[in-house]
Amino acid sequence: MNNSTAETQTSSFVPGGRRRHRRTKQSSAGLRRTVVLALAVPVASAALAGPSAFAAGNGTTTTAGGASGGAESADPSDQQMAANLDARVLDQRLGADVSGVVLDADSDETLWDHDGSTALMPASNVKLATATAALTVLGPEHRFTTRVVYGHGTLTLVGGGDRTLSSADLAELAKTAVAGLKKAGLGTVKVAVDDSLFPAPALADGWNDGYYPDTVAPVRALVVDGRGVQDTSIDAGQTFAGLLAQDGVTVSGDVTRGTARHTDVPVAHHRSAPLADIVKKMLKTSDNNIAETLLRMTALGAGRPATFEGGTEVVRHVLSHRYGVSLDNFEIHDGSGLSRTDRVPAATLAQILELLTQPRYAHTLGAILDGLPVAGEAGSTLGPEWGRFDDPHSQCAVGKVQAKTGTLTGAIALSGLTRTDDGEWRVFSFIENGSTAAPNDIKDAMDGLAATVNGCWA
């Protein structure tokens, strides 16, 4: 965690105007402990502040200098940007249900708002909320541990929520285990897996049957090589058993599921890369499985059950009580955004991203900024292989926009940051639901909006 002074922040979002913040300082000597203790009891303020406003927008747009309280002396370039967005948000490719917000992070003003408080299906933009909570509760240096223990003739592979565990990591665990077995004069062993860290259910509300195991696997505490299979724990155990056999140990019987005993002898362990690196990977490639694992581990870190409900409760608490992000019309049921029952306003996503521009949060949340795909960055979800920022209107923003993508059938989102020519941060969020245009055409229109915020498409 960041050792700088922690702040409890509340805010109210004012479309077309200033976002008022009231900050009360508190001791920083144990922010994580504060979060854990606060979440040990039900949090009444985490209830939805209002019903979902999905498809309830009135189509209004508020721009800088508008009647809603925007800065009367708005910069001419911002006024032009807002005017361009007024016209371009009506692009038929975006459909009728589209929302958007642009914030000036330096002046704390809303430069443009088009139904920004309307809650729409955000797709993978939910990962921004998941990453924020995980880094805040666990800390960017946190590592996940996979263990091997021995007892009663059985080696048990114990899952610790490391969604990045690889076959090479398992090979090192097997090598250490074999050395211990041979030293003890044991040549035959049974193999079991313990994934009891994550209780059922393994599937979230709102996930379509076609999502798993390829788009997302049932959420378990043990997996190897990120494989998309129905039972990742047994699969990992079978890989481990095969590695033991290669090293000369006879594995008796099939791999089974069990629970490690407190009397079992520790044999080997593997620690993951730091959480900051895992978050970067999750955001660059929009990895659904990492997101769902982080949601469970964040719940555990805050003293809550490692369930979808426990994880989303912690996300809500962290966003609202730690950072003062508005939860009006905010409703999530998973950590990845695959749930078709998730609803999040563009205004909320913009507030989350605005945190990344504030130096006091750089240590804790810096991995999110570093992990956001960059327009035109190969290997990310904004790379040329996905056809992003290759439209004549958006090509000018290549290398200038960092943003999280979101794509589901009937929902496309793009939320991120860019800097003006004079180095000022502009934060944006755009979400559309229900457009009948081809997905690639919708994305081209979205990329154009981001290029408009950057100012290169003037």
Side-chain angles (χ1 to χ4, degrees):
M1 294 298 301
N2 193 342
N3 291 325
S4 61
T5 300
E7 297 177 338
T8 299
Q9 183 183 65
T10 59
S11 67
S12 56
F13 180 77
V14 185
R18 188 173 297 275
R19 295 176 307 288
R20 298 183 298 274
H21 299 285
R22 300 182 300 278
R23 302 184 176 95
T24 303
K25 290 188 177 181
Q26 65 181 29
S27 171
S28 66
L31 172 61
R32 177 182 172 189
R33 180 172 177 267
T34 301
V35 172
V36 172
L37 292 176
L39 285 165
V41 295
V43 182
S45 60
L48 283 175
S52 172
F54 176 60
N58 58 14
T60 60
T61 300
T62 304
T63 60
S68 295
E72 295 182 1
S73 59
D75 184 277
S77 62
D78 288 336
Q79 292 180 327
Q80 183 62 56
M81 178 265 296
N84 289 338
L85 287 174
D86 286 345
R88 293 166 187 171
V89 77
L90 301 179
D91 190 318
Q92 292 185 354
R93 294 174 295 179
L94 295 173
D97 287 326
V98 58
S99 66
V101 168
V102 178
L103 310 179
D104 181 340
D106 297 279
S107 68
D108 199 33
E109 291 178 352
T110 302
L111 299 177
W112 181 82
D113 173 77
H114 179 86
D115 293 342
S117 61
T118 298
L120 297 176
M121 185 164 35
S124 284
N125 277 206
V126 167
K127 293 183 177 74
L128 295 171
T130 303
T132 300
L135 288 166
T136 301
V137 172
L138 300 174
E141 292 84 21
H142 184 83
R143 298 172 186 261
F144 306 107
T145 302
T146 304
R147 299 181 296 122
V148 178
V149 298
Y150 177 83
H152 302 277
T154 301
L155 278 179
T156 302
L157 184 63
V158 184
D162 179 7
R163 223 3 178 105
T164 63
L165 188 72
S166 68
S167 293
D169 300 329
L170 278 187
E172 287 299 317
L173 289 173
K175 181 180 179 180
T176 302
V178 168
L181 290 171
K182 290 182 177 179
K183 186 175 181 180
L186 300 172
T188 301
V189 71
K190 295 179 180 179
V191 171
V193 294
D194 180 352
D195 61 359
S196 59
L197 190 65
F198 294 173
L203 306 175
D205 290 340
W207 285 3
N208 284 349
D209 290 345
Y211 287 167
Y212 46 85
D214 295 329
T215 302
V216 64
V219 186
R220 305 185 193 280
L222 182 60
V223 64
V224 62
D225 293 334
R227 290 184 191 140
V229 296
Q230 287 288 354
D231 195 329
T232 61
S233 301
I234 293 296
D235 175 69
Q238 291 170 341
T239 299
F240 182 63
L243 291 166
L244 292 173
Q246 289 178 19
D247 284 341
V249 171
T250 300
V251 176
S252 175
D254 295 330
V255 174
T256 59
R257 182 175 269 103
T259 302
R261 302 175 178 85
H262 72 276
T263 55
D264 287 349
V265 178
V267 173
H269 72 275
H270 170 78
R271 300 181 72 209
S272 72
L275 175 59
D277 293 343
I278 295 174
V279 165
K280 293 175 193 176
K281 178 179 180 180
M282 175 188 74
L283 294 175
K284 287 290 185 188
T285 61
S286 200
D287 192 301
N288 298 312
N289 292 300
I290 290 178
E292 296 303 340
T293 301
L294 291 186
L295 184 73
R296 302 288 185 109
M297 296 305 293
T298 301
L300 282 175
R304 306 303 295 161
T307 61
F308 291 106
E309 292 78 8
T312 55
E313 177 190 356
V314 175
V315 170
R316 295 179 61 85
H317 185 89
V318 168
L319 292 180
S320 177
H321 292 263
R322 171 66 177 96
Y323 298 114
V325 171
S326 170
L327 295 184
D328 291 352
N329 305 322
F330 179 93
E331 181 179 358
I332 62 171
H333 298 270
D334 62 2
S336 63
L338 284 176
S339 175
R340 302 191 66 81
T341 57
D342 290 344
R343 296 291 184 270
V344 178
T348 298
L349 293 168
Q351 286 186 16
I352 293 172
L353 286 164
E354 189 181 24
L355 300 172
L356 309 184
T357 69
Q358 301 180 36
R360 65 184 180 278
Y361 300 136
H363 174 75
T364 302
L365 303 181
I368 300 177
L369 184 60
D370 293 342
L372 286 176
V374 178
E377 179 186 15
S380 78
T381 56
L382 285 183
E385 62 268 40
W386 295 100
R388 303 305 299 258
F389 288 87
D390 59 359
D391 180 271
H393 298 305
S394 62
Q395 282 181 327
C396 64
V398 168
K400 301 177 181 179
V401 169
Q402 294 175 263
K404 182 70 196 76
T405 57
T407 305
L408 284 176
T409 301
I412 291 180
L414 186 68
S415 300
L417 310 93
T418 186
R419 284 188 184 271
T420 63
D421 288 340
D422 56 4
E424 294 184 348
W425 282 110
R426 296 290 181 266
V427 181
F428 64 85
S429 177
F430 304 111
I431 309 173
E432 73 76 22
N433 281 186
S435 173
T436 57
N440 286 340
D441 292 338
I442 300 171
K443 292 173 183 177
D444 284 343
M446 284 273 186
D447 294 348
L449 296 180
T452 303
V453 176
N454 173 260
C456 67
W457 184 20

